[in-house]
């Protein structure tokens, strides 16, 4: 296998992993919006939880990508 092929395969895999993390971010937003519509918790607390969850997901991706 040539180096170019190896690099291309690695790039494709990290792209797939990134897409999985994007789905996790989207799911976190949807979960927060559903809680807001259901009246579970106040808006500021939900927003803070979402931001913390998004930060954790971003940190996890950075760890995996490294």
């Amino acid at each position: 296998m040539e180096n170019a092929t190896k690099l291309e395969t690695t790039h494709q895999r990290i792209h797939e992993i990134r897409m999985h993390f994007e789905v996790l971010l989207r799911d976190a937003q949807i979960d927060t919006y559903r809680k807001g519509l259901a009246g579970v918790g106040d808006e500021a607390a939900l927003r803070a939880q979402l931001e913390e969850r998004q930060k954790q997901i971003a940190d996890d991706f950075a760890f995996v990508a490294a």
Side-chain angles (χ1 to χ4, degrees):
M1 185 179 280
E2 297 177 11
N3 281 341
T5 305
K6 287 180 186 176
L7 291 175
E8 183 177 314
T9 301
T10 301
H11 176 73
Q12 288 172 348
R13 288 183 183 153
I14 195 68
H15 179 70
E16 289 176 16
I17 292 169
R18 180 185 307 265
M19 293 305 298
H20 285 289
F21 277 90
E22 291 294 327
V23 169
L24 291 173
L25 287 169
R26 185 205 63 204
D27 289 348
Q29 289 176 328
I30 291 170
D31 186 46
T32 300
Y33 296 147
R34 285 183 177 163
K35 286 179 181 176
L37 289 173
V40 177
D42 65 76
E43 185 178 336
L46 289 173
R47 186 173 292 131
Q49 288 174 354
L50 175 60
E51 289 173 3
E52 180 61 33
R53 207 163 157 195
Q54 288 173 328
K55 182 183 179 313
Q56 182 63 49
I57 292 169
D59 290 346
D60 290 347
F61 175 74
F63 175 77
V64 170

